[in-house]
Structure formats: C-alpha cells, structure tokens
Amino acid sequence: MLYLHDVWVNWFEGEENGYNVCPFHEWRKADGIEILDQAPILFIDNKTFDYIENDLQDIPQEILDKIYQRAYVRKNQERKALDYACIVTNGTAILAFDTMGYHIPIRKSRLIPRQERLVADLIEGRTATTYSLSNTTDKEFHILSLPTNYMVGLTRKERQLKQLLMIALDQLNVGQCSEEVRYWLTEWSPERYHTIKEMTFQKAWQTLYNEVVEGWSIHHEEFCKQIIKGQAFYEDIWEREQDTYSTKSLRS
C-alpha cells in the first residue's frame, strides 16, 4: 500500500458537498490545521471518488478493511492510530477523509499543493481500483444543499454567505407569510413593486429564490445582510465573514 507522511489536513466536518471542502488557497489562519503522521493512499475510480467527496454515505467495506488503523496522528509526542482515515484520488482530484470511527466520511480535507504532487507521482503508472457502492441512487439536492453549479466559481466567503441566504429563504418558505415574502422580493427588486404586490406567496417566493440562487454579487451580499438582520446567530456568521483577519489565507 502507498503512504504519505507528515500530511497537512484542514478538516471540514459534516460536509456532504465537496465544494465546501476548501482548497489550500482558501485555508485560513483561524482554521485548525492537523498533521497526520502517516496516511494510506488509494487510487480509486471516478464514481467512488465522487461518492466519498460529495456525500455522507457508508464507505465501501472493502475500502474500510484496507485502511483500518493504517493512518496515524501524532499528539503530544504520542502516535495514535485512526480507525478509518486515508487519502483517495481518482487521478485528477485528491481528498483526505477520516470517519472518526464510523463508516461515513465525517471529516474531509484537501491537501497542500506539494503533497498533491507527491500523491500524483506515487500513483503514476498505476490503475485505479473500482469499488461496489451500496447506494447508487442519485443524490438529492435542496435549498440547504445546493447543486454544485450554483456554487462553482465562488470564494469561500461567498459560498458561506450564499448558504446563509438560503437558510433565510428557507425560513421565509416555512413562515408562509405573503406580506413578508413580497416585502423581501421588493427589497431585492424594487422596480417591480406594482407587479410583486399582486403575487401569491408561492409565486413571490419562487421568483425570489430563482433570482438569488444564481451567481453572487454585491447586491446578493447586501440583501443577505438585510434579510438576516435581528437574528444574532446569523448576524455573527455574516460579521465573521467580513472580518479582514478571518478572510486572510494561510499563505498570507
């Protein structure tokens, strides 16, 4: 089995979508970077890689058996085995995961560029192994777990704020208040006030969703700030994303 040593990982916990597992250039000084003393490397087929990267389903038992206690982390001079942790690659993308003792990839991380190159060198000339997946149904996306095409090209800050905005829209949908949703659609698009005031709840909410889910802009950010105003927990998230210190990358 192939191994990589002294592996820098920045764990993103409970992320079912790979777009939220940030590449190295988006790592922040406030992130908790960990170093794996040793991690096994598996060269796997595209379908299995996508399954691990973009879901939180049970990892194939064959993979779990291969990697059982073959990864180690060093803490306080003590070398501790991790039950199920490794680096997987499909020959193009690379991802580290740790199940924290379970059978699903609870923690996921990208690697630093130098170590990504090492992984690529180690698998050169080898053939990917294909695994049987227990769950082959298509993943279902929803407002709190947007399809990749709505997130591609956005920065870490923009993705975080967009998810915050989607939470606010979901709350609007749950509330089913026509006046409220028409108010927010008017805030988003004031030039359509006369048309909006005649809309049903469902029409207004769907129009608002369809328009804000596309892309990201200063208009999106300002609207997000408005719609979460007065909700302390969400305001705190928004403020932290504005913090110039928090937005500095690890490389700066």
Side-chain angles (χ1 to χ4, degrees), residues 91-144:
T92 304
I94 299 169
L95 182 79
F97 73 80
D98 174 22
T99 71
M100 301 183 74
Y102 299 95
H103 288 179
I104 63 176
I106 294 176
R107 303 198 296 180
K108 302 175 186 179
S109 175
R110 305 297 175 185
L111 303 188
I112 64 175
R114 176 177 59 83
Q115 294 184 325
E116 287 186 330
R117 289 193 294 271
L118 286 174
V119 171
D121 290 343
L122 287 169
I123 66 166
E124 188 173 356
R126 297 174 181 267
T127 302
T129 301
T130 300
Y131 294 91
S132 176
L133 303 176
S134 58
N135 182 7
T136 57
T137 58
D138 290 338
K139 178 178 174 180
E140 292 185 6
F141 292 98
H142 51 81
I143 190 171
L144 302 182

Side-chain angles (χ1 to χ4, degrees), residues 16-224:
E16 62 175 313
N17 295 305
Y19 55 68
N20 282 328
V21 184
C22 298
F24 175 68
H25 70 268
E26 289 191 323
W27 291 8
R28 296 172 178 173
K29 292 179 180 179
D31 291 341
I33 309 302
E34 186 173 76
I35 297 180
L36 302 181
D37 195 54
Q38 170 182 297
I41 301 168
L42 295 182
F43 186 11
I44 64 178
D45 63 285
N46 289 326
K47 190 172 183 179
T48 304
F49 185 89
D50 181 71
Y51 176 84
I52 294 173
E53 181 185 37
N54 292 299
D55 221 325
L56 287 173
Q57 300 291 332
D58 284 355
I59 292 170
Q61 189 61 46
E62 188 180 351
I63 289 181
L64 297 177
D65 291 341
K66 279 185 178 181
I67 65 174
Y68 181 64
Q69 293 195 344
R70 289 179 178 267
Y72 293 87
V73 62
R74 190 176 295 276
K75 291 185 177 180
N76 301 322
Q77 304 305 312
E78 181 182 353
R79 197 169 185 250
K80 178 186 176 184
L82 300 175
D83 284 348
Y84 303 114
C86 80
I87 297 165
V88 290
T89 178
N90 60 358
T92 304
I94 299 169
L95 182 79
F97 73 80
D98 174 22
T99 71
M100 301 183 74
Y102 299 95
H103 288 179
I104 63 176
I106 294 176
R107 303 198 296 180
K108 302 175 186 179
S109 175
R110 305 297 175 185
L111 303 188
I112 64 175
R114 176 177 59 83
Q115 294 184 325
E116 287 186 330
R117 289 193 294 271
L118 286 174
V119 171
D121 290 343
L122 287 169
I123 66 166
E124 188 173 356
R126 297 174 181 267
T127 302
T129 301
T130 300
Y131 294 91
S132 176
L133 303 176
S134 58
N135 182 7
T136 57
T137 58
D138 290 338
K139 178 178 174 180
E140 292 185 6
F141 292 98
H142 51 81
I143 190 171
L144 302 182
S145 178
L146 293 175
T148 303
N149 60 294
Y150 289 127
M151 291 296 199
V152 69
L154 304 188
T155 65
R156 180 174 177 177
K157 172 187 173 182
E158 290 167 346
R159 292 192 303 272
Q160 181 69 52
L161 293 181
K162 190 164 190 175
Q163 288 174 317
L164 189 59
L165 180 52
M166 291 302 111
I167 291 172
L169 290 189
D170 187 54
Q171 289 180 334
L172 276 182
N173 195 26
V174 171
Q176 292 285 308
C177 178
S178 299
E179 291 79 8
E180 186 177 16
V181 75
R182 285 197 292 260
Y183 169 82
W184 286 115
L185 180 54
T186 303
E187 285 294 302
W188 171 257
S189 186
E191 71 279 2
R192 288 185 291 169
Y193 166 74
H194 293 293
T195 302
I196 292 169
K197 69 179 182 178
E198 303 298 329
M199 289 183 180
T200 62
F201 170 84
Q202 192 55 42
K203 174 66 175 176
W205 186 88
Q206 196 63 52
T207 301
L208 182 58
Y209 171 80
N210 289 344
E211 295 187 9
V212 302
V213 77
E214 293 285 350
W216 190 258
S217 64
I218 292 297
H219 186 34
H220 281 82
E221 187 168 326
E222 291 173 346
F223 183 70
C224 180

